[in-house]
Amino acid sequence: MSRVTLSRYLIEQTRDHNTPADLRFLVEVVARACKAISHAVSKGALGGVLGNAGTDNVQGEAQKKLDVISNEILLEANEWGGHLAAMASEEMEEAYQIPGHYPKGAYLLLFDPLDGSSNIDVNVSVGTIFSVLRCPEGTTTPNEQSFLQPGTEQVAAGYAIYGPQTMLVLTMGNGVKGFTLDREMGSFVLTHDNMQVPEQTKEFAINMSNQRHWEIPVARYVSELLAGTTGSLGKDYNMRWIASMVADVHRILTRGGIFMYPRDAREPEKAGKLRLMYEANPMSFIIEQAGGAATNGRQRILDIQPESLHQRVAVFLGSKEEVDRITGYHHNA
Ligand code: AHM
Ligand code: MG
């Protein structure tokens, strides 16, 4: 069979699922930006792109040079095409308005330009996560409120992973497709047609160094995982923690597992570390579309009504059986 590029896949989506042409264009533009980010990331020390930028973002975290570069690549690629009403980024305090001399479109784009950026300087996989919402009807100048839609309203979501291969993983609400970047041709080629999370797993991912700060249901669940065949779960588990959500989620999509970033007692006013709008919602959409589950321990992540752009949330996602178990422990606590 001939190769299916991202462009061909998107055109066929328009034909078979009535995907609007401007949404198709939007995904192509994001993919093009991800190629540029992949190129910048791969240069590393040769491109002078490693290290800190010397600035803090809205979360008070030190920005890496590549956080700033990736953010700019995404803004510049997406601002002129007429497909967006506004953008929001993990790296920017406020929503980004489309400059007045460009046309505006029907969609809102949200992104974490370089997720896992603590890994850049040690040459471990990082990625870009994005989420697409419709701009509320009649809104000409979108504000924070325009973005505060539950994850169920997403019309597309995806991530690019910059690892040994660069891949784009995408959902537009009918399954999850994986495309691998062909560097010679410069195009993303469909290589993973129907990504599915196995229902059961023997792998978990959590930052164990935070153990003493966890809530009781999480401590109980992880102690059962660690007990393996000697405990109530009756099987041995293996552990992986990459500290790049994109890479951890990609592993789960490939061979199953459960990913956890619970809320903890270090910063009790925060509901977790990860961000609902830029990380949890798009990843939950992808995981659910691949047959997995995603909750904050108490409810489905996609049903959460957001209250602010940079809101944080606890995340449990991956193989359904394990996500159901830890969610049940929260309900019974
Ligand atoms: P970032 O968006 O600033 O890179 O932070 C998010 C990252 C996730 O990719 C990863 O799962 C988590 O933070 C790792 O956190 P920790 O360093 O606590 O293990
Ligand atoms: Mg991130």
Side-chain angles (χ1 to χ4, degrees), residues 90 112 115-116 129 275 279:
E90 187 182 300
D112 177 356
D115 177 64
I129 311 172
R275 271 96 354 169
E279 295 167 324

Side-chain angles (χ1 to χ4, degrees), residues 231-251:
S232 58
L233 300 183
K235 58 179 173 178
D236 288 332
Y237 286 76
N238 199 354
M239 194 194 90
R240 290 285 184 276
W241 183 250
I242 304 174
S244 269
M245 187 190 197
V246 165
D248 279 311
V249 167
H250 192 69
R251 186 188 58 254

Side-chain angles (χ1 to χ4, degrees), residues 206-207 210-219 222 259-274 295-299 301 304 311-316 326 330:
I206 192 166
N207 185 341
N210 297 326
Q211 183 169 23
R212 71 183 188 283
H213 307 294
W214 293 339
E215 293 184 326
I216 289 165
V218 179
V222 175
F259 170 92
M260 295 172 271
Y261 213 115
R263 71 178 306 152
D264 65 43
R266 278 175 301 173
E267 294 180 283
E269 72 290 354
K270 291 187 182 152
K273 172 175 184 185
L274 299 173
T295 76
N296 67 354
R298 293 178 169 87
Q299 72 176 120
I301 284 176
I304 295 173
Q311 173 173 348
R312 298 182 188 246
V313 66
V315 175
F316 302 89
I326 179 71
H330 279 84

Side-chain angles (χ1 to χ4, degrees), residues 1 18 59 94 104 107 111 130 133 142 163 174 199 209 212 243 287 296 314 322:
M1 199 187 115
N18 294 321
Q59 339 270 347
E94 285 168 15
K104 279 193 190 175
Y107 296 100
F111 47 80
F130 67 94
L133 295 165
N174 45 39
E199 244 183 62
S209 69
R212 71 183 188 283
I287 287 289
N296 67 354
E322 298 298 334

